[in-house]
Amino acid sequence: MDQAAQLRKLTEGNTSLKLVSSTKPMTKIIAIASGKGGVGKSTISVNLAISMAKAGQKVLVFDGDLGLANVNVILGIIPKYNLYHVVKGHKSLKDIIIQAPEGVDIIAGASGYSQLANLNDTQRNNLIKGFGDLDSYDYMIIDTGAGISSNVIGLTLPADDVIVVTTPEPTAITDSYGLIKAIVSQSRDKNLKMVVNRVRSAIEGKKVADRVIDISGQFLEVRVENLGFIFQDDEVEKSIREQKPYIIHSPKSKAAACLNRITYSLLNQEMEAQEDSGIGGFFKKFFNFVDVREKQQSLDDN
């Protein structure tokens, strides 16, 4: 049996992903980030959420790329309301949640409002309270923006897991290391994981991951876990054009098999409970980071 056929077996009925539910009540937060744009981060975020939902998990996707609204575009959804309306006090957070395929819930990015850091105290407190009311989810997946802006780093630091997405392209590899370095400069104890997207072979996927992992260990003294790879697959491109996630559009594709394997790995990992856990606690820590950054910037300017 060839490698692709073995991977496809993981998708048959998706039964291998049916796991015993966790006894940990708080929502687990996974931030998905990339040093470079265009590596497929948003596509992975959406498909991973659906794969988790198919495995029996209750999943919320938060489009942390805010102004670009990638998540709802991938799903072919035009939201009537988004985070902007919550920030302005026109809607509650529960009012703007969109139900996507397989029961995944989506919070669309705040089109025209790209910086959560700019919120005043009232807006922050309303947002924290709103997110705190959403802790019935098993997982929240955050599709962050690309790069190392304050918004991106601020959304990765409070997360239980940070998945860094790269491709075999040299600039993507270099930028993924830059992102890891930026995260580690703020917190050395993050659970960092790597997914290599659009690989032509398993050997290429391992080679790219090992390169970033080895450099990160040598120069940053930090451990990065190789979570897996996703094959270059024409079915992914078709699904993007048709605005239907490939885990649904082509469930027996090579890419879907790879993603199911990644899902299985994530769902079988125990995460330690953190202080101020859950979605509300996540955003408390995000705004704490923003405040510290602003104070540092003020000191630097003076």
Side-chain angles (χ1 to χ4, degrees), residues 41-257:
K41 170 181 55 58
S42 297
T43 302
I44 289 174
S45 297
V46 172
N47 283 276
L48 177 64
I50 295 173
S51 180
M52 285 182 159
K54 288 165 76 71
Q57 304 299 303
K58 187 176 181 183
V59 186
L60 174 69
V61 179
F62 171 54
D63 191 345
D65 207 350
L66 301 182
L68 296 180
N70 290 326
V71 167
N72 55 278
V73 172
I74 290 169
L75 290 163
I77 295 170
I78 301 175
K80 188 174 182 181
Y81 304 108
N82 57 42
L83 203 61
Y84 176 83
H85 299 93
V86 178
V87 168
K88 292 301 181 183
H90 302 152
K91 293 289 176 181
S92 72
L93 205 53
K94 289 183 177 180
D95 290 336
I96 70 166
I97 290 176
I98 306 163
Q99 190 169 69
E102 302 297 331
V104 171
D105 287 345
I106 304 292
I107 294 178
S111 181
Y113 199 92
S114 61
Q115 290 292 327
L116 280 176
N118 292 338
L119 304 186
N120 62 39
D121 287 344
T122 299
Q123 292 168 332
R124 287 185 182 191
N125 290 334
N126 287 341
L127 204 58
I128 290 170
K129 183 182 183 303
F131 275 107
D133 291 338
L134 302 180
D135 268 330
S136 62
Y137 292 94
D138 298 306
Y139 288 88
M140 180 171 77
I141 293 177
I142 303 176
D143 177 33
T144 75
I148 57 173
S149 69
S150 293
N151 254 17
V152 172
I153 303 303
L155 289 171
T156 61
L157 292 181
D160 297 296
D161 272 347
V162 179
I163 298 176
V164 177
V165 178
T166 190
T167 68
E169 184 184 340
T171 53
I173 295 171
T174 301
D175 288 350
S176 68
Y177 172 76
L179 172 62
I180 292 169
K181 184 177 180 180
I183 294 171
V184 171
S185 71
Q186 299 294 326
S187 174
R188 299 195 59 82
D189 61 352
K190 295 312 303 171
N191 291 322
L192 296 169
K193 305 179 188 299
M194 169 151 286
V195 169
V196 186
N197 197 22
R198 301 175 189 153
V199 305
R200 290 164 292 186
S201 68
I203 293 174
E204 182 180 52
K206 185 177 186 304
K207 183 179 178 181
V208 172
D210 285 349
R211 181 178 174 186
V212 178
I213 290 168
D214 290 346
I215 294 173
S216 299
Q218 181 178 351
F219 294 104
L220 303 177
E221 297 181 342
V222 65
R223 180 180 179 273
V224 179
E225 178 188 345
N226 182 3
L227 191 57
F229 62 85
I230 299 174
F231 279 124
Q232 175 72 38
D233 193 335
D234 290 341
E235 293 300 319
V236 175
E237 302 304 319
K238 290 179 185 176
S239 74
I240 291 172
R241 287 194 297 271
E242 295 181 22
Q243 295 180 293
K244 187 174 182 180
Y246 62 79
I247 202 78
I248 297 172
H249 181 273
S250 306
K252 295 185 181 297
S253 64
K254 294 185 294 182

